[in-house]
Amino acid sequence: MNPYLNRAMIRQSEDFFGRKAEISRILSRLGADPPQSVSVVGERRIGKSSLLFHLTDSKVLAESLSPSGILPIVVFLDCQQLQGVSVDEFFQLVVRRIQRSHPRLGREEGESYAGFRDLLEEISESGLRLALLLDEFDAVTSNPTFGPDFYAFLRSMANNYPVAYVTTSKTELQRLCFSEEISDSPFFNIFSNLYLRPFRTSEAQELIERPSRRQGRPLREHGQRIIGMAGLFPLYLQIACSACWESLAEDQHLDWPQVEMRFLEEAAPHFDYFWEQCGEDAQRVLAALLQGRQPQPEDRYLCQGLQRQGYLLADDDASYRLFSPFFEAHLKQKASSATRETRRKQEPHQQTTLLRPGSRVNQYRILSKAGEGGMGVIYCAEDSALDRRVALKFILPQANSQESSRRRFLQEARAAAALSHPRITSVYELFEYEDQIVLVMEWIEGRSLKEWVKEQGPVDWKRMTGWMIEVCEGLEEAHARGIVHRDIKSSNIMIGQEERAKITDFGLAKHRRPSADSTDLTQQGALLGTIDYISPEQAHGDEVDGRSDLFSLGVVYFEGLTGCLPFHRRSPGATLRAIFEEAPPYLGLYQVAQAERIDRVLRRMLEKEPERRYPSAAEVKKDLRKLLRKRGILDWLS
């Protein structure tokens, strides 16, 4: 088994490498009298969460923290899952975690601040101490729910009881506060900052050598080349080692071009995220290096900062270079693409012909414009031959400006038109009009699930589960015919007048089993779909099957139940990172009824690896039906 696949937080001690100096510094502060608080600061994907969770291991604590044999109570809390949680709920959660590890404490249940204070009083009287590990604490400091009283209380507890806080964040906490009043709080003065940087060379070699040797496929002899590819970043080292491991497993020798291709495929979204977040000044320094120029002397402080982060290396002559030729090549390609996009935007766009009510297109009379999306304009029209309403979708010319893309779209649209199922919007006809492709589709009186949630808020769990069962029925039919939708999202699920769900817009569908005379016209690596809903394998540009639609459906299910998107972040790069690496928030945080039972189904739908996901829509439907059957409310679906 490939030991380098884990892209999430490291939970097993044997899989955690390096950071001995940082752990020693943190534990020395927690072991002080009184215990001292620490703020761990570092770039995303540098290993902050893994480091923090490693501190929960009693063996790690016993080795260097408590010669007397009395270990502290350690509570780990992922603050990213606290969206929408009140201060009272925060302290109730902390108290429950403490009581779970020490059941004898806190027998009398208190409320909020008082309950936590009373518990600390017990801990102090028992001769114990508390280490509260708050991962991604910037999710709290940027949340207006937690006001000045919250921080004043935490500082007071640290002043009066044996409790210390260890937090992680991307930058210093005070820079991430939602208001100046919070950032000026004396709470932040109790922390000493510990900056988490890339690995030391010895730590990188340990990560390369130990897991591979343990699994009988050692990579030690390739260590220098792997570090040259990945630098000293834990994540990039894992990606590079994983690619090496897979190459050895397939061919018994390293196919370096293949290894490098696989490395760049997975690392590229993270390179993009860094570029988007690093700021204009840092981009200016990097742009100079990409053009073969050394940065200006006045930018030396920026170079030193990028060097500390691991993105620049300094040579003996004090000149700088990028940490990896693959990072450099990707940024050059990105800069070239940005230039082409700027030129394209400066050129006049082709647009679809806007049609007025009363206009005729073949046998169809336009009634009104119904919507506009990334691929085209939709009209409500009357079919004069069959006396029925239809939807006409005009595909934007630039979406099919090349012959290959036009052929691809026609092939995929015909595949969708062949589907016939009550839970799938019917495609009646496909024709060309003034060099535009037009789809004639079933007209549905109703609104999309996206519009429903926007207007009415989160959907009752019973109704939402029923709709998901109906969508599964449609996907079951499509997947059985070898068609993957590839753009399942709430705006592509229509809720008709009878409040039944239908899947629409198979515009991105693709035949999984092309006929002998057909061609796979989806370009390898093309990112199709909508980013908030896209599956990890589709985002990577890998070949996808029906399980990709099930991941997207899991996002829709979460959105309908909570009104929120589980992986949406401030930028596309950050959203992709969340899709690749982060677990969805727990439904219970959103006061969803039956949260625990639904969450088990939802998390399997949202597994990062397709092999761990539901194998088919039929299996998802089966478990969803069980949820409703246990409540005796399944009859309306039949």
Side-chain angles (χ1 to χ4, degrees):
M1 178 180 176
N2 189 336
Y4 297 102
L5 290 177
N6 189 0
R7 302 291 182 264
M9 181 175 67
I10 304 297
R11 293 178 174 270
Q12 303 299 325
S13 294
E14 61 268 23
D15 296 329
F16 183 87
F17 298 97
R19 306 302 191 194
K20 291 182 175 59
E22 290 84 354
I23 290 170
S24 178
R25 287 177 60 189
I26 294 173
L27 293 182
S28 69
R29 285 159 174 74
L30 294 181
D33 193 15
Q36 301 297 304
S37 297
V38 182
S39 173
V40 179
V41 180
E43 292 292 312
R44 294 189 181 276
R45 303 305 304 143
I46 203 66
K48 301 187 300 294
S49 299
S50 298
L51 171 65
L52 207 61
F53 191 83
H54 193 59
L55 297 175
T56 64
D57 190 325
S58 58
K59 293 180 181 178
V60 174
L61 298 173
E63 285 175 359
S64 50
L65 184 60
S66 182
S68 64
I70 301 175
L71 300 181
I73 300 170
V74 178
V75 172
F76 178 93
L77 203 61
D78 179 0
C79 296
Q80 278 198 332
Q81 296 193 6
L82 300 181
Q83 299 176 17
V85 171
S86 67
V87 171
D88 288 351
E89 291 168 331
F90 171 86
F91 284 114
Q92 289 167 8
L93 180 59
V94 172
V95 168
R96 285 199 301 270
R97 295 279 176 89
I98 295 172
Q99 291 173 332
R100 189 183 302 165
S101 60
H102 282 68
R104 295 182 181 179
L105 293 173
R107 287 184 294 273
E108 295 183 7
E109 184 125 349
E111 292 295 327
S112 190
Y113 293 107
F116 184 59
R117 184 185 60 239
D118 292 346
L119 194 53
L120 287 178
E121 187 78 40
E122 277 192 69
I123 289 172
S124 179
E125 291 174 354
S126 301
L128 299 171
R129 56 178 59 197
L130 173 66
L132 192 55
L133 312 182
L134 301 169
D135 192 29
E136 304 284 1
F137 193 60
D138 47 313
V140 174
T141 60
S142 60
N143 186 346
T145 301
F146 297 85
D149 290 346
F150 173 79
Y151 299 97
F153 175 78
L154 288 183
R155 178 184 170 91
S156 173
M157 294 301 97
N159 286 342
N160 293 283
Y161 297 101
V163 57
Y165 316 108
V166 184
T167 65
T168 69
S169 57
K170 182 179 178 182
T171 58
E172 292 82 359
L173 288 173
Q174 285 167 286
R175 294 172 56 187
L176 299 167
C177 295
F178 72 88
S179 73
E180 288 187 14
E181 183 181 16
I182 299 299
S183 63
D184 290 339
S185 169
F187 166 72
F188 299 102
N189 297 334
I190 69 176
F191 289 91
S192 60
N193 286 335
L194 187 153
Y195 293 92
L196 205 61
R197 306 299 189 194
F199 275 164
R200 299 165 182 84
T201 302
S202 59
E203 294 173 323
Q205 290 170 338
E206 182 185 22
L207 175 60
I208 294 168
E209 295 174 14
R210 282 180 52 191
S212 60
R213 185 175 65 247
R214 193 167 60 204
Q215 294 292 333
R217 197 169 287 146
L219 297 176
R220 180 176 182 176
E221 65 178 292
H222 309 293
Q224 187 174 353
R225 189 161 182 174
I226 291 172
I227 291 175
M229 182 189 307
L232 297 175
F233 295 89
L235 172 65
Y236 299 149
L237 287 165
Q238 277 191 297
I239 293 172
C241 289
S242 178
C244 289
W245 178 275
E246 290 173 350
S247 180
L248 286 172
E250 292 168 2
D251 302 321
Q252 302 301 311
H253 71 278
L254 278 180
D255 180 346
W256 280 107
Q258 181 190 66
V259 168
E260 292 164 356
M261 181 189 69
R262 288 179 176 176
F263 169 78
L264 195 53
E265 281 179 351
E266 187 172 351
H270 302 286
F271 292 163
D272 290 340
Y273 176 81
F274 165 75
W275 177 263
E276 292 165 5
Q277 299 295 316
C278 69
E280 292 182 4
D281 290 339
Q283 287 180 1
R284 185 181 69 251
V285 168
L286 295 170
L289 292 169
L290 291 174
Q291 295 166 11
R293 297 183 288 106
Q294 285 295 305
Q296 297 297 316
E298 58 267 27
D299 288 333
R300 189 169 187 81
Y301 76 99
L302 291 168
C303 295
Q304 291 171 343
L306 290 168
Q307 184 183 2
R308 285 193 295 271
Q309 293 175 28
Y311 290 98
L312 291 188
L313 301 178
D315 293 327
D316 294 338
D317 60 356
S319 62
Y320 289 98
R321 56 188 170 88
L322 298 175
F323 80 94
S324 163
F326 300 93
F327 179 63
E328 180 176 356
H330 183 74
L331 291 191
K332 283 182 178 178
Q333 184 181 25
K334 188 175 182 67
S336 176
S337 299
T339 302
R340 289 196 301 270
E341 179 66 13
T342 300
R343 290 173 181 167
R344 188 189 67 79
K345 288 181 178 178
Q346 292 171 348
E347 295 171 355
H349 270 353
Q350 280 185 296
Q351 298 292 338
T352 57
T353 303
L354 293 178
L355 301 173
R356 295 181 178 181
S359 302
R360 297 194 70 86
V361 178
N362 293 355
Q363 69 198 54
Y364 306 103
R365 183 171 66 88
I366 302 298
L367 299 178
S368 63
K369 181 180 175 181
E372 187 170 355
M375 292 189 68
V377 181
I378 303 175
Y379 295 91
C380 176
E382 183 180 56
D383 183 342
S384 56
L386 297 175
D387 192 24
R388 64 181 177 184
R389 285 196 174 188
V390 295
L392 298 186
K393 182 165 187 176
F394 287 73
I395 306 304
L396 288 171
Q398 55 264 39
N400 295 286
S401 57
Q402 296 182 352
E403 181 60 26
S404 61
S405 61
R406 192 177 189 86
R407 288 171 56 208
R408 174 176 63 82
F409 182 84
L410 289 169
Q411 172 185 299
E412 294 167 358
R414 291 184 182 114
L419 292 172
S420 177
H421 191 274
R423 305 274 65 86
I424 297 175
T425 304
S426 299
V427 178
Y428 299 137
E429 187 182 358
L430 176 70
F431 63 87
E432 296 188 52
Y433 175 77
E434 295 184 356
D435 295 326
Q436 298 173 54
I437 297 173
V438 183
L439 290 176
V440 184
M441 302 181 294
E442 173 187 4
W443 176 259
I444 299 175
E445 290 288 350
R447 51 188 164 172
S448 70
L449 178 57
K450 173 71 79 175
E451 293 169 327
W452 182 293
V453 173
K454 185 176 180 180
E455 294 171 11
Q456 299 193 19
V459 183
D460 173 77
W461 79 272
K462 298 182 291 295
R463 172 179 282 165
M464 189 65 200
T465 301
W467 286 341
M468 292 300 94
I469 289 172
E470 292 178 330
V471 173
C472 282
E473 290 172 350
L475 289 178
E476 195 176 353
E477 171 68 15
H479 295 167
R481 292 177 174 268
I483 298 173
V484 183
H485 190 290
R486 302 207 302 175
D487 197 23
I488 291 292
K489 55 185 177 181
S490 54
S491 57
N492 278 341
I493 296 172
M494 296 297 296
I495 309 300
Q497 287 186 321
E498 297 179 357
E499 294 193 4
R500 307 300 289 267
K502 278 198 172 192
I503 310 169
T504 189
D505 200 354
F506 269 82
L508 293 175
K510 173 171 176 272
H511 243 141
R512 289 280 299 149
R513 294 189 294 271
S515 60
D517 58 347
S518 69
T519 306
D520 183 355
L521 297 174
T522 297
Q523 295 178 356
Q524 185 174 3
L527 185 61
L528 299 179
T530 305
I531 193 168
D532 284 314
Y533 303 84
I534 201 168
S535 69
E537 62 270 26
Q538 190 174 350
H540 277 309
D542 296 339
E543 183 74 8
V544 299
D545 57 23
R547 293 171 296 182
S548 179
D549 285 346
L550 301 184
F551 181 95
S552 302
L553 186 62
V555 176
V556 172
Y557 196 13
F558 186 99
E559 180 186 13
L561 292 168
T562 67
C564 303
L565 289 161
F567 304 114
H568 181 74
R569 302 294 184 265
R570 295 177 183 175
S571 70
T575 298
L576 283 174
R577 171 187 173 274
I579 289 170
F580 291 146
E581 299 157 7
E582 297 176 13
Y586 173 53
L587 283 178
L589 298 175
Y590 297 85
Q591 286 78 52
V592 175
Q594 303 295 316
E596 186 172 345
R597 292 171 55 227
I598 297 173
D599 201 65
R600 286 195 292 269
V601 177
L602 189 61
R603 286 181 181 269
R604 189 175 176 193
M605 296 173 74
L606 294 174
E607 283 284 357
K608 308 299 184 188
E609 298 293 333
E611 294 75 16
R612 298 174 62 88
R613 231 172 276 154
Y614 281 98
S616 67
E619 290 298 311
V620 179
K621 181 178 71 173
K622 179 180 176 182
D623 278 0
L624 293 176
R625 282 180 168 272
K626 286 180 182 178
L627 291 176
L628 293 181
R629 190 176 292 114
K630 287 183 179 180
R631 307 296 296 176
I633 49 177
L634 194 59
D635 293 343
W636 70 280
L637 282 172
S638 54

